[in-house]
């Protein structure tokens, strides 16, 4: 009985030590758990502007662009909570997209400290999915007629 009591107290102490908060997925230093408007304001401070032509009227999906960056952002939200964010790169040649895909994949491998799940690995179509704290990051390359490179951040 005494051992059970000691084990129960140890278990409760272990549970109390954990703060119970799950870590949020981060996008380039910004926490994706912040309210949607605050997140968009932070991106605006970094030079992004809302592309109203590609944004839903109810702001469930917002497109943002920064002329200084090689990508466009699409942010999906529900009830002021960010569900997903996708970077769509604007590249014109296949060789440059392959090189960029490899560099982005290697950077995530180092920053997350984990190997990706390679859902597809070919010359013309590559998908690497990382599980990070708070969500998933998927790097996708499609080199068909018009090359596309995207990075998708999904919260858990």
């Amino acid at each position: 009985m005494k051992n059970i009591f000691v084990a129960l107290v140890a278990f409760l102490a272990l549970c109390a030590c954990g703060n119970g908060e799950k870590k949020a997925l981060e996008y380039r230093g910004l926490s994706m758990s912040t309210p949607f408007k605050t997140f968009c304001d932070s991106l605006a401070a970094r030079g992004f502007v809302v592309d109203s032509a590609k944004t839903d009227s109810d702001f469930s999906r917002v497109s943002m662009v920064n002329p200084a960056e090689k990508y466009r952002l699409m942010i999906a939200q529900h009830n002021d909570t960010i569900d997903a964010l996708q970077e769509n790169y604007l590249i014109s040649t296949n060789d440059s997209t392959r090189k960029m895909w490899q560099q982005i994949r290697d950077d995530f491998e180092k920053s997350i400290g984990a190997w990706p799940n390679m859902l597809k690995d070919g010359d013309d179509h590559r998908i690497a999915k990382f599980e990070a704290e708070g969500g998933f990051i998927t790097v996708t390359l499609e080199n068909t007629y018009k090359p596309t490179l995207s990075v998708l951040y999904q919260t858990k």
Side-chain angles (χ1 to χ4, degrees):
M1 185 69 162
K2 185 177 181 182
N3 290 341
I4 294 173
F5 179 73
V6 171
L8 181 64
V9 170
F11 177 72
L12 292 174
L14 182 64
C15 291
C17 289
N19 57 8
E21 294 180 24
K22 67 177 187 176
K23 186 169 174 152
L25 185 63
E26 287 194 359
Y27 171 73
R28 299 183 184 255
L30 298 174
S31 174
M32 290 180 64
S33 67
T34 58
F36 177 71
K37 174 128 178 49
T38 305
F39 189 82
C40 289
D41 289 344
S42 298
L43 288 173
R46 293 181 177 192
F48 284 89
V49 293
V50 174
D51 182 358
S52 58
K54 296 187 179 189
T55 298
D56 290 350
S57 60
D58 63 351
F59 278 85
S60 62
R61 282 185 281 171
V62 174
S63 178
M64 296 186 82
V65 66
N66 182 346
E69 299 292 343
K70 293 182 179 181
Y71 57 87
R72 167 183 299 276
L73 293 177
M74 181 61 79
I75 308 166
Q77 63 103 8
H78 181 70
N79 293 334
D80 203 35
T81 303
I82 298 170
D83 291 332
L85 181 145
Q86 183 168 343
E87 295 176 339
N88 295 312
Y89 284 81
L90 309 170
I91 308 294
S92 60
T93 65
N94 289 341
D95 291 338
S96 62
T97 54
R98 288 183 185 125
K99 185 185 251 186
M100 284 185 68
W101 183 88
Q102 189 63 47
Q103 182 63 46
I104 291 170
R105 179 193 174 276
D106 293 346
D107 289 346
F108 279 124
E109 198 174 291
K110 288 177 190 171
S111 67
I112 295 173
W115 286 83
N117 179 9
M118 294 296 295
L119 303 175
K120 190 158 185 130
D121 190 12
D123 281 342
D124 290 339
H125 195 180
R126 298 176 184 177
I127 301 173
K129 188 168 189 174
F130 294 89
E131 184 171 359
E133 286 190 60
F136 300 95
I137 302 170
T138 306
V139 184
T140 305
L141 169 68
E142 292 182 52
N143 270 342
T144 52
Y145 299 108
K146 183 179 178 193
T148 61
L149 176 63
S150 64
V151 180
L152 175 64
Y153 296 77
Q154 294 173 296
T155 57
K156 286 184 182 175

